[in-house]
Amino acid sequence: MLDTVPIVRIYKKGKGKPKSIEDTVVVEHALAIRLDKKELVTLLCSPEKLEYLAVGFLCSEGLIKEKEDIKEIVLDEDKGIIEIATAQHGKTAKDEVSKRLIGSSGARGIDVGSFGRQTVESTLAITPVEIFGLIEDFIHRSEVFDATGGVHSAALCDTRQILVFSEDIGRHNAIDKVLGECVLNEIPTDGHILVTSGRVSSEIVNKVVRSNIPVLISKSAPTNRGVRLAADLGITLIGFVREGRMNLYTHTGRVIIDGS
Amino acid sequence: MLDTVPIVRIYKKGKGKPKSIEDTVVVEHALAIRLDKKELVTLLCSPEKLEYLAVGFLCSEGLIKEKEDIKEIVLDEDKGIIEIATAQHGKTAKDEVSKRLIGSSGARGIDVGSFGRQTVESTLAITPVEIFGLIEDFIHRSEVFDATGGVHSAALCDTRQILVFSEDIGRHNAIDKVLGECVLNEIPTDGHILVTSGRVSSEIVNKVVRSNIPVLISKSAPTNRGVRLAADLGITLIGFVREGRMNLYTHTGRVIIDGS
């Protein structure tokens, strides 16, 4: 469930010196479900109770109804594959799931690994004071729009200000709205900063990489896989920016710490 | 972005009498993206900036790179369909997205509407004191497991206690783990209660309906579509159970209010 990663913790001026420490992050696991020898879906999940997850998923999808529908379950934890054989004959479950609906916080068909990806290169540099300033603006704008407390926000920024801001019930959607606005209005994303209210999973890092954005800042925590992918792909990942502190997870060289 | 629904607000004993009021909920919209006349995907989202969302989604998926790749965008807001024509020839984008990955908070191929669904019927009755008690236990268990603050929990309960508890980085996964455990261990879900830490969107209500669970309790808020579906399908939906109060959204008859 939990993993540790090395981070640099930075505090607001006067609140403490930067510290290199180990911090806890949540584990993001990929589980491929194969139903009757056909690949059905890959779920990103926590790595516990994987048999229950697979069976519950099939049940929620209406592919099985009860225990008797299941003939065999074989879990290969190392490979992240679970094979489920059902008692039904001939019916191809895959067809039923192929018409896919993407939920409000849902991931999309992005590959999980970093294999073959270009890393993001940029000489962008930012100071902690600028990061705290951006996050303050970001939170202020979010509060103005979000009366219900259930909405995610995302923004494209330079080191001084928010350039594009969007919100949505889904953290992926909020980011896609920002990136779509940049495409349609020809606002460059290269060498800029993306701020998100939501957790940074591997899919979010992939999104940022595709738009060649070198710095990703989140109010929330990353997953271990998000951290690993950011490290592999040249992204400066900054998380948990709240209450006068922040965590630098990867490629910390772009953050200019003045030793205060 | 926001909608209003009639609710009954209940307070902990001594904190106030039940009130019938209008409350604000966030809007959940379904947007079908058609790319070069082929249905690509349906996103559940907030209903603003839909062109940006569709273009950003295509961009995040690697299906387009820049504005020049887009020939035409036609949005039909009433039908919830956006048609995007690209400048590329012959390449079927759909194939590239069909290998789907379901993210940590991702929805699955569940239909959005309630058409043709059986409603959940149950004589289950529960009191506010029991609901507050269940939520207290639930939050306590969640805190024990969740050191990082980024994990969702779900539980199957009767009116007195938690029977099955699970957690996951995804709110859908946490619920599926509970339902899968019930299937494999032959724990009946009929006439029981599901508690979730996460927002109640239409997909979550659909999941609960499939398991014939009449009462759904959330620490968080529902979407307007979640409320509508719960009303249509016979689910008692209780949300925002926190700080000594709760909102009853639908089928309130199962909650026995003693007038305190």
Side-chain angles (χ1 to χ4, degrees):
Chain A
M1 194 75 205
L2 296 176
D3 196 1
T4 54
V5 293
I7 65 158
V8 180
R9 182 161 293 157
I10 310 266
Y11 297 89
K12 260 199 172 158
K13 218 176 170 104
K15 289 202 168 183
K17 286 191 187 306
K19 280 194 289 203
S20 290
I21 54 174
E22 292 277 316
D23 198 32
T24 306
V25 288
V26 73
V27 172
E28 177 189 339
H29 186 76
L31 178 70
I33 302 180
R34 289 173 56 88
L35 183 64
D36 292 329
K37 302 194 172 166
K38 280 182 187 153
E39 196 169 313
L40 187 68
V41 77
T42 298
L43 303 180
L44 298 180
C45 58
S46 299
E48 294 84 22
K49 299 192 184 182
L50 298 177
E51 288 95 342
Y52 293 158
L53 174 60
V55 169
F57 176 82
L58 296 180
C59 195
S60 285
E61 291 285 326
L63 299 172
I64 60 163
K65 284 217 151 176
E66 51 196 2
K67 198 180 177 184
E68 282 65 46
D69 295 337
I70 302 166
K71 221 166 57 183
E72 195 183 24
I73 302 177
V74 182
L75 172 64
D76 185 331
E77 283 209 55
D78 293 336
K79 286 188 185 158
I81 297 173
I82 190 161
E83 300 259 4
I84 297 186
T86 65
Q88 58 191 3
H89 310 283
K91 196 176 165 199
T92 55
K94 184 169 172 132
D95 301 341
E96 296 183 37
V97 191
S98 64
K99 197 189 151 219
R100 189 138 306 286
L101 179 88
I102 305 291
S104 50
S105 347
R108 294 76 173 268
I110 300 163
D111 59 297
V112 189
S114 59
F115 180 75
R117 280 293 175 76
Q118 284 225 314
T119 59
V120 176
E121 290 183 18
S122 167
T123 57
L124 179 69
I126 188 166
T127 67
V129 170
E130 287 168 331
I131 296 169
F132 284 123
L134 287 176
I135 280 282
E136 237 167 72
D137 276 9
F138 181 77
I139 290 171
H140 177 69
R141 285 228 212 177
S142 306
E143 282 170 354
V144 169
F145 285 101
D146 181 12
T148 64
V151 174
H152 278 290
S153 315
L156 186 85
C157 311
D158 60 22
T159 56
R160 291 166 180 274
Q161 63 190 326
I162 292 173
L163 306 173
V164 176
F165 180 87
S166 272
E167 37 154 26
D168 198 282
I169 52 171
R171 64 194 164 100
H172 292 79
N173 291 342
I175 294 175
D176 280 347
K177 282 180 177 176
V178 167
L179 299 179
E181 185 165 346
C182 291
V183 168
L184 287 178
N185 296 340
E186 296 175 286
I187 300 162
T189 54
D190 298 47
H192 283 78
I193 297 154
L194 193 94
V195 181
T196 171
S197 60
R199 183 179 47 228
V200 177
S201 55
S202 57
E203 324 138 72
I204 300 295
V205 175
N206 270 315
K207 220 179 265 297
V208 164
V209 169
R210 274 192 204 265
S211 291
N212 219 28
I213 294 171
V215 176
L216 175 57
I217 303 175
S218 172
K219 266 172 63 187
S220 307
T223 66
N224 69 336
R225 195 182 282 258
V227 173
R228 201 187 319 145
L229 205 58
D232 288 353
L233 295 175
I235 304 284
T236 300
L237 177 58
I238 302 161
F240 258 117
V241 190
R242 51 171 81 165
E243 293 154 23
R245 64 185 185 86
M246 68 178 87
N247 294 342
L248 311 186
Y249 292 93
T250 55
H251 298 276
T252 56
R254 291 196 187 102
V255 181
I256 308 305
I257 305 167
D258 61 0
S260 70
Chain B
M1 193 76 205
L2 296 176
D3 195 1
T4 55
V5 293
I7 66 159
V8 179
R9 181 161 294 156
I10 309 268
Y11 297 89
K12 259 198 173 157
K13 219 175 168 106
K15 288 203 170 184
K17 287 191 186 305
K19 280 195 288 203
S20 289
I21 53 174
E22 291 279 314
D23 198 32
T24 305
V25 289
V26 73
V27 172
E28 177 189 340
H29 185 77
L31 178 70
I33 302 179
R34 289 173 55 87
L35 183 63
D36 292 329
K37 301 195 173 163
K38 280 183 186 150
E39 198 169 313
L40 188 67
V41 77
T42 298
L43 303 179
L44 298 181
C45 58
S46 300
E48 293 84 21
K49 298 191 183 182
L50 297 177
E51 288 95 342
Y52 293 158
L53 173 60
V55 169
F57 175 82
L58 296 179
C59 194
S60 286
E61 291 286 325
L63 298 173
I64 60 163
K65 284 216 151 175
E66 50 195 3
K67 198 180 177 184
E68 282 65 45
D69 295 338
I70 301 166
K71 223 168 55 182
E72 195 184 25
I73 302 177
V74 181
L75 172 64
D76 184 331
E77 283 209 54
D78 293 335
K79 285 188 185 157
I81 297 173
I82 189 161
E83 301 258 4
I84 297 186
T86 66
Q88 59 190 2
H89 310 282
K91 197 175 167 199
T92 55
K94 185 170 172 130
D95 301 340
E96 296 183 35
V97 190
S98 64
K99 198 189 150 220
R100 189 139 305 285
L101 179 88
I102 305 291
S104 49
S105 346
R108 294 74 175 269
I110 300 163
D111 58 298
V112 190
S114 59
F115 180 74
R117 280 294 175 74
Q118 284 225 312
T119 60
V120 176
E121 291 184 18
S122 167
T123 57
L124 178 70
I126 187 166
T127 67
V129 171
E130 288 168 331
I131 295 169
F132 284 124
L134 287 176
I135 279 281
E136 238 168 71
D137 277 8
F138 182 77
I139 289 171
H140 177 70
R141 286 229 210 175
S142 305
E143 283 170 354
V144 168
F145 286 101
D146 180 14
T148 64
V151 173
H152 279 289
S153 316
L156 187 85
C157 310
D158 60 22
T159 56
R160 289 164 182 279
Q161 62 189 327
I162 291 172
L163 305 172
V164 175
F165 179 87
S166 272
E167 38 154 26
D168 198 283
I169 51 171
R171 65 193 163 99
H172 292 79
N173 291 341
I175 294 174
D176 280 346
K177 283 179 177 176
V178 167
L179 299 178
E181 186 165 346
C182 291
V183 168
L184 286 178
N185 296 341
E186 297 177 283
I187 300 162
T189 54
D190 298 48
H192 283 78
I193 297 154
L194 193 94
V195 181
T196 171
S197 60
R199 183 178 47 226
V200 176
S201 55
S202 57
E203 324 139 71
I204 300 296
V205 175
N206 269 315
K207 220 180 265 297
V208 163
V209 170
R210 273 191 205 266
S211 292
N212 219 28
I213 293 171
V215 176
L216 175 56
I217 302 175
S218 172
K219 267 172 63 188
S220 307
T223 65
N224 69 335
R225 195 183 281 258
V227 173
R228 202 187 317 145
L229 205 59
D232 287 352
L233 296 175
I235 304 284
T236 300
L237 177 58
I238 302 161
F240 258 116
V241 190
R242 50 170 79 164
E243 292 153 23
R245 63 185 185 87
M246 67 178 86
N247 294 342
L248 312 186
Y249 292 92
T250 56
H251 296 277
T252 56
R254 292 196 186 102
V255 181
I256 308 303
I257 304 167
D258 61 359
S260 71

